[in-house]
Amino acid sequence: MFATRKLTLLAMLTALAATGRIYANVLFPFLPNMQPMTSVVIICSLLLGPAAGVIIAVLSTLLSNMILGMGLWTLWQMIAWGLIGLLFGLIGLLWRNPHLLVMTAASVLTGYMYGLLISLPNLFIMEHFLAYYVAGLSFDTMHAIGNGIFFFILYPVLRKLFDKWIPDHRKRTTSS
C-alpha cells in the first residue's frame, strides 16, 4: 500500500510529466515529439521503482491526452510508456547508481522503442506496414533526441531532490 507522502509525490510527478508534454506540444509545435514525458517516466521509474513508473506513465498519458486529444492511440501510448516505466523500474532495482551517460544513451534508444510499440497495432491493419514505420522514423528520432536532452538535464536534478527530501525513497520502493 502506498503512503500518503508517496501518493503526493506520484501526483506531483504525474503532473510534471503531463504538463511538460502539453506545454512542449503547445510552445514548440515545430519540434515534434520533443517533450519531457518519456524522460520523466524513466527517471521516476529508476528512482521510485516499476510500480511508480507505470502509475506515472498511465496517469500522465490520460491527463495529457485530455488536452491533446483522446483516441485509440491513448491505449497504446499507455502501454508503451507503461512498459518503459516497468523496464526502467526493474533496471533501477537491479542497478542502484546507474551512470548518467549510460542511462542517457538508454533513454535515447527508448525513443525508438516507444515508436515501435506505438506502431505495432498498425501491423495488423496496414498493407504496407514497413513503409509506414520507416516514414515515422524521423519522428522517433526527434523523440530520441529529446529524451537524451531532457534525461541529461533532469536526472541529476531529480535525483538530488529525491535523495535530499525523500532519503528513504529506495527502501520504500522495494517494500511497497
Side-chain angles (χ1 to χ4, degrees), residues 91-154:
I91 290 171
L93 291 176
L94 297 173
W95 191 8
R96 295 295 179 163
N97 295 310
H99 192 272
L100 177 63
L101 293 179
V102 172
M103 287 291 103
T104 301
S107 71
V108 168
L109 293 175
T110 304
Y112 294 104
M113 181 178 121
Y114 175 85
L116 178 64
L117 290 170
I118 290 297
S119 299
L120 280 180
N122 294 314
L123 179 64
F124 305 106
I125 60 173
M126 297 186 97
E127 187 174 333
H128 302 289
F129 173 76
L130 187 58
Y132 166 81
Y133 181 71
V134 169
L137 282 177
S138 62
F139 289 97
D140 295 345
T141 300
M142 292 299 286
H143 189 182
I145 291 168
N147 287 351
I149 292 168
F150 284 114
F151 185 89
F152 190 79
I153 293 169
L154 293 175

Side-chain angles (χ1 to χ4, degrees), residues 2-3 13 25 31 36 48 62 70 80 89 109-110 132 136 140 142 152 162 164:
F2 288 116
L13 294 168
N25 282 312
L31 295 173
L48 297 174
L62 282 173
M70 290 279 191
L109 293 175
T110 304
Y132 166 81
D140 295 345
M142 292 299 286
F152 190 79
F162 281 31
K164 181 178 180 179

Side-chain angles (χ1 to χ4, degrees), residues 21-41:
R21 180 175 181 227
I22 292 165
Y23 281 106
N25 282 312
V26 172
L27 297 176
F28 306 109
F30 51 89
L31 295 173
N33 283 350
M34 289 200 63
Q35 37 81 14
M37 184 157 150
T38 306
S39 296
V40 171
V41 169

